[in-house]
Amino acid sequence: MPTLVMEKPELEEALRPIIERFKGGKGITIPLLAAVQEKIGYLSSDSLDFLSKEMDIPAAELFGVATFYAMFRLQPQGKHVVRLCRGTACHVQGSLRVGEMLQRHLEIEEGQTTQDRLFTLQFVACLGCCSLAPVMMVDDEVHGRLTPEKAVEILESYRKAD
Amino acid sequence: MSKIIVKVGMSSCGIAAGAGPVYEKLETLVKGREDVELKKVGCIGLCFHEPLVEIEQDGKSSVYGEMTPEKAETLLAERTSLTPVLSQIQDAPENHMMGKQVRIVLRNCGLIDPQKIEEYEQRGGYASLRKSLLELSQDQVIDEVLKSGLRGRGGAGFPTGMKWRFAHDAKGDSKYVVCNADEGDPGAFMDRSVLEGDPHSIIEGMAICGYAIGASQGIIYCRAEYPLAIKHINKALEQAREKGYLGQKILGTGFSFDIYIKEGAGAFVCGEETALIASIEGKRGMPRPRPPFPAHKGVFGKPTNINNVETLANIPWIIANGHAAFAQYGTEKSKGTKVFALAGKIKKGGLVEVPMGMPLRDVIYTIGGGIQDDKAFKAVQMGGPSGGCIPASLIDTPVDYESITATGAIMGSGGMVVMDEGTCIVDVARFFLSFTQKESCGKCPFCRIGTKRMLEILTRICEGKGKMEDLETLKELAPQIKDGSLCGLGQTAPNPVLTTLKYFEDEYLAHIRDGKCPAKVCSALIHYSIDPAKCIGCTKCARACPVSAITGEIKKPHFINDDVCIRCGQCMKACPVSAISVE
């Protein structure tokens, strides 16, 4: 998923087709924001302000929805998003220790992005792969039966591949 | 000899375990071979053996587990050198996991290619929709569901037929059928498995419901964390439209019905009906008071019937086989089967479907194979963050709505997370409270602030700073949060604390009074040390320690600096002579 920091005219250019697609529809806020996030990587205040004006939806409503759901980000993220499952089965199988190890290894806290913008670390609720616990997703790939060391090895393999 | 059919389990968990490379390898191997047919299927439920490959020939089949690309090659060349994890010999020990199951909801999971509507049709798919539209009146369909005794599988257990009746009787120019596929309970993945492995069963169930209540529009509200499920449903919807099972004038009758998917955006509270409706309408997913019930005022103010995935997957089976066939399974008040997701410290984790009323012991020991490493069974957590921990002493409790509720837990969506002696119960209670506290939408003060206070207390206890009066405060807060909350999230949030306090008060007391964590989990209450008599000075522990807390000269006993130690346990794993212990 690209994370682009754009100048205003460029941003407006990028958002226009999305606005065209959703304008006037009912119950469109969530898919609209999802489409914007997919396009520019996150929901910047500039983009939400622009959407609000163009689509005649109060900015408060857009921010309200954007901050309510876990999927939406108001900050740009790293190249790879690491989602460590903190569901019950993973918890019982030691995902906390995996999380601690990843935070130490990447030298960031949960929710943050590494300085080189390579990894964003998130702790998420159940990914639904409980029988492979503990589990983490790097971008769209699920890695199961983790140990703290194995999790670090996996991240390093992504670093090497870059 | 007949054709060899090779099926690879390609659900999310199969892929996570490495089914992708296995499939690719098989694809190159069977290229050009007329006698072999390669298929992608959903999850058969034997998750602990993933990746799985099933070989079918001459009407006989065997399932092979822990597959790798290399093993796949052997499998095609000469099968006899590999031992199947499941075979057609009925008494084979590997079959015990399946033998006690009754598969209604999971009838097609792992057997058919979910992306081929023909395979669903070959197993009787869409015959129930045909039967409903051509032979049964709306009332007859509702009666059939009502008499079957089917109750909502999402958690609350409300009779499905009654729900349909309310929606049918509600007046409105247009009505909606919503499938709640926002499976948010951590530890539950049965809905994902059905969505991925048998999407047509849900589409058919929804169409039958649409006919019965007089709706023309269906919505599947699916969580965005399930990309493969969304992909499979979209494909299935296309196919159903092509074949005329969805769209205008279905099967030549006057009934028109179509379905679209609405992706969730990650909010646990959206599993609650009114919050889900708000989310479909594009708003913050916050619940509202009922009445009006969704049956009267639901999506965009129209009469709406909401059922969960598993409930809907039962419908075509009930219509095809009749209510009596369904009601023969289960107990007096809980009919049919229930799918459970077995996870945690269990040997054979996976998805199982059993008749209601089966004792927990059979589910955990006979089907689940018992506890990992044969440790002592401590408790099973049921119902996710809304449920509770059922202790070992109640292992003979039958799984039905009433019996489970009597323990203080709830049936919930069917997650069963098994815990052994190495699981700290206070830590588990804290885990659930941190979940509900984060997921509380904030509307009701008791839920918003109350869960936060409870979490603070539990955190304090886990850190060894608990006070005796904390237990009283917890017991006092819990009923107030339950009474003061509008929706299921707040009304059930204290359950994990209440059940653990009820059955494991000793463990709370050990944390507070003795400053000990009996399961040796809570970091603040445990200490690692090296036995100088056993230590051989190999330095392995010092090298494994991520925070350099271990010092010592080579070939001399090492020492752990307790102030620096972060209790990660790496040293204990690294020690070749078991000189490190934790107290």
Side-chain angles (χ1 to χ4, degrees), chain A residues 2-25:
Chain A
T3 295
L4 311 172
V5 180
M6 296 177 173
E7 293 300 319
K8 247 185 179 168
E10 199 191 344
L11 177 75
E12 291 176 5
E13 193 64 31
L15 294 184
R16 235 174 259 290
I18 299 175
I19 291 172
E20 288 308 312
R21 196 164 82 198
F22 287 100
K23 206 163 185 177

PDB file of all heavy atoms in Angstrom, chain A residues 2-25:
ATOM      1  N   PRO A   2       0.686   2.156  -0.929  1.00  0.00           N
ATOM      2  CA  PRO A   2       1.589   3.310  -0.996  1.00  0.00           C
ATOM      3  C   PRO A   2       1.247   4.335   0.077  1.00  0.00           C
ATOM      4  O   PRO A   2       0.094   4.496   0.448  1.00  0.00           O
ATOM      5  CB  PRO A   2       1.292   3.878  -2.388  1.00  0.00           C
ATOM      6  CG  PRO A   2      -0.129   3.509  -2.662  1.00  0.00           C
ATOM      7  CD  PRO A   2      -0.407   2.253  -1.911  1.00  0.00           C
ATOM      8  N   THR A   3       2.242   4.984   0.584  1.00  0.00           N
ATOM      9  CA  THR A   3       1.993   6.105   1.482  1.00  0.00           C
ATOM     10  C   THR A   3       2.590   7.329   0.822  1.00  0.00           C
ATOM     11  O   THR A   3       3.798   7.435   0.691  1.00  0.00           O
ATOM     12  CB  THR A   3       2.640   5.867   2.852  1.00  0.00           C
ATOM     13  OG1 THR A   3       1.987   4.764   3.440  1.00  0.00           O
ATOM     14  CG2 THR A   3       2.471   7.073   3.743  1.00  0.00           C
ATOM     15  N   LEU A   4       1.750   8.195   0.354  1.00  0.00           N
ATOM     16  CA  LEU A   4       2.238   9.336  -0.393  1.00  0.00           C
ATOM     17  C   LEU A   4       1.951  10.613   0.376  1.00  0.00           C
ATOM     18  O   LEU A   4       0.878  10.797   0.922  1.00  0.00           O
ATOM     19  CB  LEU A   4       1.538   9.402  -1.751  1.00  0.00           C
ATOM     20  CG  LEU A   4       1.510   8.098  -2.554  1.00  0.00           C
ATOM     21  CD1 LEU A   4       0.622   8.259  -3.765  1.00  0.00           C
ATOM     22  CD2 LEU A   4       2.913   7.707  -2.965  1.00  0.00           C
ATOM     23  N   VAL A   5       2.932  11.456   0.426  1.00  0.00           N
ATOM     24  CA  VAL A   5       2.674  12.778   0.974  1.00  0.00           C
ATOM     25  C   VAL A   5       2.599  13.701  -0.231  1.00  0.00           C
ATOM     26  O   VAL A   5       3.552  13.851  -0.986  1.00  0.00           O
ATOM     27  CB  VAL A   5       3.793  13.206   1.943  1.00  0.00           C
ATOM     28  CG1 VAL A   5       3.506  14.595   2.500  1.00  0.00           C
ATOM     29  CG2 VAL A   5       3.907  12.197   3.067  1.00  0.00           C
ATOM     30  N   MET A   6       1.410  14.270  -0.437  1.00  0.00           N
ATOM     31  CA  MET A   6       1.183  15.010  -1.681  1.00  0.00           C
ATOM     32  C   MET A   6       0.963  16.483  -1.427  1.00  0.00           C
ATOM     33  O   MET A   6       0.459  16.901  -0.397  1.00  0.00           O
ATOM     34  CB  MET A   6      -0.067  14.470  -2.370  1.00  0.00           C
ATOM     35  CG  MET A   6       0.010  13.051  -2.826  1.00  0.00           C
ATOM     36  SD  MET A   6      -1.596  12.613  -3.511  1.00  0.00           S
ATOM     37  CE  MET A   6      -1.226  11.028  -4.170  1.00  0.00           C
ATOM     38  N   GLU A   7       1.276  17.253  -2.434  1.00  0.00           N
ATOM     39  CA  GLU A   7       0.911  18.671  -2.425  1.00  0.00           C
ATOM     40  C   GLU A   7      -0.587  18.751  -2.711  1.00  0.00           C
ATOM     41  O   GLU A   7      -1.172  17.838  -3.292  1.00  0.00           O
ATOM     42  CB  GLU A   7       1.689  19.410  -3.511  1.00  0.00           C
ATOM     43  CG  GLU A   7       3.195  19.478  -3.245  1.00  0.00           C
ATOM     44  CD  GLU A   7       3.523  20.196  -1.945  1.00  0.00           C
ATOM     45  OE1 GLU A   7       2.868  21.222  -1.652  1.00  0.00           O
ATOM     46  OE2 GLU A   7       4.416  19.729  -1.213  1.00  0.00           O
ATOM     47  N   LYS A   8      -1.174  19.875  -2.337  1.00  0.00           N
ATOM     48  CA  LYS A   8      -2.628  20.005  -2.443  1.00  0.00           C
ATOM     49  C   LYS A   8      -3.210  19.732  -3.838  1.00  0.00           C
ATOM     50  O   LYS A   8      -4.142  18.938  -3.959  1.00  0.00           O
ATOM     51  CB  LYS A   8      -3.078  21.372  -1.928  1.00  0.00           C
ATOM     52  CG  LYS A   8      -3.895  21.215  -0.650  1.00  0.00           C
ATOM     53  CD  LYS A   8      -4.435  22.527  -0.201  1.00  0.00           C
ATOM     54  CE  LYS A   8      -5.265  22.289   1.057  1.00  0.00           C
ATOM     55  NZ  LYS A   8      -5.593  23.530   1.728  1.00  0.00           N
ATOM     56  N   PRO A   9      -2.707  20.408  -4.899  1.00  0.00           N
ATOM     57  CA  PRO A   9      -3.332  20.180  -6.213  1.00  0.00           C
ATOM     58  C   PRO A   9      -3.244  18.718  -6.631  1.00  0.00           C
ATOM     59  O   PRO A   9      -4.202  18.145  -7.167  1.00  0.00           O
ATOM     60  CB  PRO A   9      -2.509  21.050  -7.166  1.00  0.00           C
ATOM     61  CG  PRO A   9      -1.679  21.945  -6.319  1.00  0.00           C
ATOM     62  CD  PRO A   9      -1.589  21.338  -4.968  1.00  0.00           C
ATOM     63  N   GLU A  10      -2.105  18.124  -6.309  1.00  0.00           N
ATOM     64  CA  GLU A  10      -1.887  16.717  -6.660  1.00  0.00           C
ATOM     65  C   GLU A  10      -2.877  15.828  -5.904  1.00  0.00           C
ATOM     66  O   GLU A  10      -3.457  14.896  -6.451  1.00  0.00           O
ATOM     67  CB  GLU A  10      -0.454  16.374  -6.277  1.00  0.00           C
ATOM     68  CG  GLU A  10       0.103  15.149  -6.941  1.00  0.00           C
ATOM     69  CD  GLU A  10       1.415  14.734  -6.298  1.00  0.00           C
ATOM     70  OE1 GLU A  10       2.028  15.545  -5.562  1.00  0.00           O
ATOM     71  OE2 GLU A  10       1.816  13.585  -6.515  1.00  0.00           O
ATOM     72  N   LEU A  11      -3.071  16.167  -4.636  1.00  0.00           N
ATOM     73  CA  LEU A  11      -3.986  15.405  -3.784  1.00  0.00           C
ATOM     74  C   LEU A  11      -5.416  15.497  -4.322  1.00  0.00           C
ATOM     75  O   LEU A  11      -6.113  14.498  -4.451  1.00  0.00           O
ATOM     76  CB  LEU A  11      -3.917  15.969  -2.354  1.00  0.00           C
ATOM     77  CG  LEU A  11      -4.863  15.345  -1.330  1.00  0.00           C
ATOM     78  CD1 LEU A  11      -4.356  13.981  -0.921  1.00  0.00           C
ATOM     79  CD2 LEU A  11      -5.004  16.222  -0.097  1.00  0.00           C
ATOM     80  N   GLU A  12      -5.808  16.705  -4.668  1.00  0.00           N
ATOM     81  CA  GLU A  12      -7.169  16.902  -5.162  1.00  0.00           C
ATOM     82  C   GLU A  12      -7.389  16.144  -6.469  1.00  0.00           C
ATOM     83  O   GLU A  12      -8.441  15.555  -6.692  1.00  0.00           O
ATOM     84  CB  GLU A  12      -7.445  18.405  -5.334  1.00  0.00           C
ATOM     85  CG  GLU A  12      -7.515  19.091  -3.972  1.00  0.00           C
ATOM     86  CD  GLU A  12      -7.683  20.596  -4.050  1.00  0.00           C
ATOM     87  OE1 GLU A  12      -7.840  21.138  -5.164  1.00  0.00           O
ATOM     88  OE2 GLU A  12      -7.667  21.233  -2.978  1.00  0.00           O
ATOM     89  N   GLU A  13      -6.356  16.158  -7.294  1.00  0.00           N
ATOM     90  CA  GLU A  13      -6.403  15.418  -8.555  1.00  0.00           C
ATOM     91  C   GLU A  13      -6.632  13.931  -8.281  1.00  0.00           C
ATOM     92  O   GLU A  13      -7.464  13.269  -8.918  1.00  0.00           O
ATOM     93  CB  GLU A  13      -5.052  15.615  -9.275  1.00  0.00           C
ATOM     94  CG  GLU A  13      -5.042  15.171 -10.719  1.00  0.00           C
ATOM     95  CD  GLU A  13      -5.995  16.004 -11.571  1.00  0.00           C
ATOM     96  OE1 GLU A  13      -6.214  17.209 -11.280  1.00  0.00           O
ATOM     97  OE2 GLU A  13      -6.544  15.410 -12.509  1.00  0.00           O
ATOM     98  N   ALA A  14      -5.899  13.414  -7.275  1.00  0.00           N
ATOM     99  CA  ALA A  14      -5.987  11.985  -6.953  1.00  0.00           C
ATOM    100  C   ALA A  14      -7.349  11.622  -6.371  1.00  0.00           C
ATOM    101  O   ALA A  14      -7.844  10.506  -6.560  1.00  0.00           O
ATOM    102  CB  ALA A  14      -4.877  11.621  -5.974  1.00  0.00           C
ATOM    103  N   LEU A  15      -7.952  12.559  -5.641  1.00  0.00           N
ATOM    104  CA  LEU A  15      -9.209  12.232  -4.956  1.00  0.00           C
ATOM    105  C   LEU A  15     -10.439  12.385  -5.854  1.00  0.00           C
ATOM    106  O   LEU A  15     -11.479  11.787  -5.598  1.00  0.00           O
ATOM    107  CB  LEU A  15      -9.384  13.117  -3.719  1.00  0.00           C
ATOM    108  CG  LEU A  15      -8.369  12.900  -2.588  1.00  0.00           C
ATOM    109  CD1 LEU A  15      -8.736  13.777  -1.391  1.00  0.00           C
ATOM    110  CD2 LEU A  15      -8.338  11.438  -2.155  1.00  0.00           C
ATOM    111  N   ARG A  16     -10.295  13.166  -6.900  1.00  0.00           N
ATOM    112  CA  ARG A  16     -11.463  13.482  -7.708  1.00  0.00           C
ATOM    113  C   ARG A  16     -12.218  12.254  -8.255  1.00  0.00           C
ATOM    114  O   ARG A  16     -13.447  12.178  -8.119  1.00  0.00           O
ATOM    115  CB  ARG A  16     -11.121  14.467  -8.820  1.00  0.00           C
ATOM    116  CG  ARG A  16     -12.038  15.683  -8.759  1.00  0.00           C
ATOM    117  CD  ARG A  16     -11.678  16.761  -9.736  1.00  0.00           C
ATOM    118  NE  ARG A  16     -10.953  17.849  -9.116  1.00  0.00           N
ATOM    119  CZ  ARG A  16     -11.500  18.724  -8.261  1.00  0.00           C
ATOM    120  NH1 ARG A  16     -12.761  18.628  -7.916  1.00  0.00           N
ATOM    121  NH2 ARG A  16     -10.786  19.693  -7.749  1.00  0.00           N
ATOM    122  N   PRO A  17     -11.505  11.285  -8.834  1.00  0.00           N
ATOM    123  CA  PRO A  17     -12.253  10.106  -9.332  1.00  0.00           C
ATOM    124  C   PRO A  17     -13.006   9.366  -8.222  1.00  0.00           C
ATOM    125  O   PRO A  17     -14.103   8.839  -8.448  1.00  0.00           O
ATOM    126  CB  PRO A  17     -11.167   9.209  -9.933  1.00  0.00           C
ATOM    127  CG  PRO A  17      -9.887   9.941  -9.868  1.00  0.00           C
ATOM    128  CD  PRO A  17     -10.075  11.221  -9.140  1.00  0.00           C
ATOM    129  N   ILE A  18     -12.429   9.340  -7.036  1.00  0.00           N
ATOM    130  CA  ILE A  18     -13.090   8.657  -5.913  1.00  0.00           C
ATOM    131  C   ILE A  18     -14.364   9.413  -5.545  1.00  0.00           C
ATOM    132  O   ILE A  18     -15.422   8.812  -5.308  1.00  0.00           O
ATOM    133  CB  ILE A  18     -12.136   8.571  -4.693  1.00  0.00           C
ATOM    134  CG1 ILE A  18     -10.901   7.771  -5.077  1.00  0.00           C
ATOM    135  CG2 ILE A  18     -12.835   7.956  -3.488  1.00  0.00           C
ATOM    136  CD1 ILE A  18      -9.838   7.721  -4.005  1.00  0.00           C
ATOM    137  N   ILE A  19     -14.273  10.739  -5.523  1.00  0.00           N
ATOM    138  CA  ILE A  19     -15.443  11.555  -5.194  1.00  0.00           C
ATOM    139  C   ILE A  19     -16.555  11.316  -6.219  1.00  0.00           C
ATOM    140  O   ILE A  19     -17.713  11.121  -5.855  1.00  0.00           O
ATOM    141  CB  ILE A  19     -15.051  13.048  -5.140  1.00  0.00           C
ATOM    142  CG1 ILE A  19     -14.140  13.277  -3.924  1.00  0.00           C
ATOM    143  CG2 ILE A  19     -16.274  13.948  -5.076  1.00  0.00           C
ATOM    144  CD1 ILE A  19     -13.512  14.631  -3.831  1.00  0.00           C
ATOM    145  N   GLU A  20     -16.159  11.280  -7.483  1.00  0.00           N
ATOM    146  CA  GLU A  20     -17.148  11.037  -8.544  1.00  0.00           C
ATOM    147  C   GLU A  20     -17.885   9.718  -8.315  1.00  0.00           C
ATOM    148  O   GLU A  20     -19.083   9.607  -8.489  1.00  0.00           O
ATOM    149  CB  GLU A  20     -16.461  10.980  -9.928  1.00  0.00           C
ATOM    150  CG  GLU A  20     -15.978  12.334 -10.438  1.00  0.00           C
ATOM    151  CD  GLU A  20     -17.087  13.392 -10.410  1.00  0.00           C
ATOM    152  OE1 GLU A  20     -18.193  13.094 -10.885  1.00  0.00           O
ATOM    153  OE2 GLU A  20     -16.847  14.514  -9.883  1.00  0.00           O
ATOM    154  N   ARG A  21     -17.083   8.714  -7.902  1.00  0.00           N
ATOM    155  CA  ARG A  21     -17.647   7.371  -7.759  1.00  0.00           C
ATOM    156  C   ARG A  21     -18.685   7.301  -6.638  1.00  0.00           C
ATOM    157  O   ARG A  21     -19.678   6.594  -6.735  1.00  0.00           O
ATOM    158  CB  ARG A  21     -16.514   6.379  -7.494  1.00  0.00           C
ATOM    159  CG  ARG A  21     -16.921   4.929  -7.707  1.00  0.00           C
ATOM    160  CD  ARG A  21     -15.703   4.072  -7.814  1.00  0.00           C
ATOM    161  NE  ARG A  21     -15.257   3.790  -6.471  1.00  0.00           N
ATOM    162  CZ  ARG A  21     -14.043   3.347  -6.136  1.00  0.00           C
ATOM    163  NH1 ARG A  21     -13.150   3.157  -7.003  1.00  0.00           N
ATOM    164  NH2 ARG A  21     -13.720   3.105  -4.897  1.00  0.00           N
ATOM    165  N   PHE A  22     -18.456   8.029  -5.553  1.00  0.00           N
ATOM    166  CA  PHE A  22     -19.316   7.860  -4.374  1.00  0.00           C
ATOM    167  C   PHE A  22     -20.364   8.952  -4.201  1.00  0.00           C
ATOM    168  O   PHE A  22     -21.285   8.800  -3.399  1.00  0.00           O
ATOM    169  CB  PHE A  22     -18.461   7.786  -3.112  1.00  0.00           C
ATOM    170  CG  PHE A  22     -17.725   6.480  -2.974  1.00  0.00           C
ATOM    171  CD1 PHE A  22     -16.384   6.377  -3.312  1.00  0.00           C
ATOM    172  CD2 PHE A  22     -18.386   5.347  -2.525  1.00  0.00           C
ATOM    173  CE1 PHE A  22     -15.711   5.172  -3.194  1.00  0.00           C
ATOM    174  CE2 PHE A  22     -17.719   4.145  -2.401  1.00  0.00           C
ATOM    175  CZ  PHE A  22     -16.379   4.053  -2.739  1.00  0.00           C
ATOM    176  N   LYS A  23     -20.198  10.071  -4.917  1.00  0.00           N
ATOM    177  CA  LYS A  23     -21.063  11.223  -4.666  1.00  0.00           C
ATOM    178  C   LYS A  23     -22.553  10.870  -4.756  1.00  0.00           C
ATOM    179  O   LYS A  23     -22.988  10.232  -5.703  1.00  0.00           O
ATOM    180  CB  LYS A  23     -20.739  12.340  -5.659  1.00  0.00           C
ATOM    181  CG  LYS A  23     -21.096  13.696  -5.105  1.00  0.00           C
ATOM    182  CD  LYS A  23     -20.432  14.821  -5.872  1.00  0.00           C
ATOM    183  CE  LYS A  23     -20.751  16.125  -5.146  1.00  0.00           C
ATOM    184  NZ  LYS A  23     -20.103  17.279  -5.746  1.00  0.00           N
ATOM    185  N   GLY A  24     -23.293  11.273  -3.732  1.00  0.00           N
ATOM    186  CA  GLY A  24     -24.744  11.090  -3.778  1.00  0.00           C
ATOM    187  C   GLY A  24     -25.249   9.738  -3.294  1.00  0.00           C
ATOM    188  O   GLY A  24     -26.429   9.561  -3.076  1.00  0.00           O
ATOM    189  N   GLY A  25     -24.339   8.766  -3.109  1.00  0.00           N
ATOM    190  CA  GLY A  25     -24.774   7.437  -2.665  1.00  0.00           C
ATOM    191  C   GLY A  25     -25.187   7.452  -1.203  1.00  0.00           C
ATOM    192  O   GLY A  25     -24.778   8.328  -0.440  1.00  0.00           O
TER     193      GLY A  25
END
